[in-house]
Amino acid sequence: MKNLLEQIKNRLDELNKAERKVAEVILRDPQEATRYSIAALAQAAKVSEPTVNRFCRSFGAAGYPALKIQLAQSLASGAAYVSRAVEADDGPEAYTRKIFGSAIASLDSACQAIDPQAISHAVDLMIQARQIHFFGLGASASVALDAQHKFFRFNLPVTAHSDVLMQRMLASVAHTGDLFVIISYTGRTRELVEAATIARDNGASVLGLTAAGSPLAKVSTLSLDIPLPEDTDIYMPMTSRIIQLTVLDALAAGVTLKRGVDFQPHLRKIKESLMATRYPSEES
């Protein structure tokens, strides 16, 4: 179940003009709103107290005291990011706090939304693959490169590609046993959806890291549905990349654990190969 702040944000367009004023006051500063009396909230929103009560009932609360409890629970879960967009007059302290708060809260929301069984299934696809190709475009391209850096350690061929022509060519020569991990925040990028379709038509498996119900999710063998805490059609994607990277970290951990202790010497050998490239740490 979504927390209160997410519900308010998602239903803004459904509220009437007066109730929307109440919602905007709460979203502007949720922490301050928990300290308001119903009279103070009504005054801040320039509405009547009955309007505040109607607003509360529309979100399943008997009155404002009950709504404040839900609001406090949302803040405890880190959900305040939904209302803390960076504004033009924010100073360094404000925008830094908002960006960090947004990242923390979006990770918490994604963690609650992602199905552990789907993660387990995705790990199985990776374990069984004879080779893995990571595809991403735009902001997701760097995520695909990071995935290549992680997964080559598992002693199987791994590539990352951000060129649409190379993606299409690789998909056209795919075989059963190949796994294409296609990373797209919206899942609406035509070239990636087409590459996924071609790869599956040739017998390969496709793992989508994308939005639930998107065109990419629909053509994937398995989709790890990632929630959408930001509108990438308007804003630069920030928290979306952090969610994608964290999901890939979880998959890498799952593969490591599934490989078992016999695989640890291989990982240790890779780690030890880097020791000669670093200056020794200074003793304090």
Side-chain angles (χ1 to χ4, degrees):
M1 179 178 179
K2 289 184 177 180
N3 60 56
L4 178 62
L5 286 171
E6 288 177 322
Q7 290 182 58
I8 293 173
K9 183 189 177 189
N10 292 337
R11 290 179 54 191
L12 268 180
D13 293 336
E14 303 173 12
L15 300 175
N16 64 39
K17 185 176 179 181
E19 290 180 358
R20 182 170 181 140
K21 289 180 180 180
V22 178
E24 288 171 346
V25 169
I26 292 173
L27 291 175
R28 190 178 305 126
D29 194 339
Q31 192 71 55
E32 180 65 20
T34 62
R35 295 190 283 267
Y36 282 148
S37 64
I38 186 171
L41 178 59
Q43 184 177 8
K46 296 182 173 60
V47 298
S48 66
E49 291 184 24
T51 296
V52 174
N53 277 321
R54 283 196 301 272
F55 173 86
C56 295
R57 287 194 295 273
S58 70
F59 287 93
Y64 194 56
L67 192 85
K68 286 199 291 187
I69 293 173
Q70 294 182 44
L71 184 56
Q73 291 171 340
S74 293
L75 289 169
S77 73
Y81 82 94
V82 298
S83 66
R84 305 310 293 266
V86 173
E87 298 170 356
D89 59 351
D90 282 343
E93 180 182 356
Y95 62 68
T96 299
R97 178 165 37 82
K98 287 180 180 181
I99 293 299
F100 272 84
S102 174
I104 292 166
S106 62
L107 281 171
D108 178 69
S109 177
C111 181
Q112 295 179 46
I114 289 177
D115 181 6
Q117 291 303 316
I119 292 289
S120 179
H121 188 185
V123 168
D124 288 339
L125 287 176
M126 290 179 150
I127 291 286
Q128 296 161 9
R130 69 182 184 92
Q131 63 179 343
I132 302 177
H133 302 294
F134 292 96
F135 287 1
L137 296 175
S140 296
S142 60
V143 179
L145 285 170
D146 183 81
Q148 180 189 30
H149 186 264
K150 288 184 177 75
F151 283 88
F152 98 94
R153 292 169 165 79
F154 298 116
N155 203 24
L156 74 161
V158 177
T159 66
H161 298 279
S162 59
D163 179 274
V164 294
L165 299 180
M166 181 59 73
Q167 291 172 351
R168 197 176 185 91
M169 288 188 289
L170 283 168
S172 71
V173 295
H175 297 92
T176 301
D178 294 345
L179 176 63
F180 289 76
V181 181
I182 302 186
I183 306 161
S184 174
Y185 187 64
T186 65
R188 293 185 280 109
T189 304
R190 188 181 304 275
E191 291 86 351
L192 291 175
V193 176
E194 289 178 352
T197 302
I198 294 169
R200 287 204 67 187
D201 287 345
N202 284 310
S205 296
V206 173
L207 172 61
L209 268 64
T210 190
S214 66
L216 176 58
K218 291 175 182 177
V219 301
S220 296
T221 309
L222 171 67
S223 175
L224 292 180
D225 298 335
I226 295 178
L228 299 170
E230 59 191 355
D231 185 350
T232 54
D233 290 335
I234 302 174
Y235 304 110
M236 286 182 62
M238 294 182 288
T239 58
S240 59
R241 286 198 300 269
I242 295 172
I243 294 172
Q244 291 167 344
L245 290 166
T246 306
V247 169
L248 286 163
D249 276 345
L251 293 176
V255 171
T256 301
L257 293 171
K258 199 126 187 179
R259 285 285 181 90
V261 294
D262 292 341
F263 193 61
Q264 296 302 316
H266 175 79
L267 296 177
R268 185 166 56 249
K269 186 176 181 180
I270 293 173
K271 188 73 173 177
E272 290 173 350
S273 73
L274 300 176
M275 292 178 64
T277 68
R278 297 171 180 163
Y279 289 110
S281 59
E282 296 181 1
E283 295 183 1
S284 55

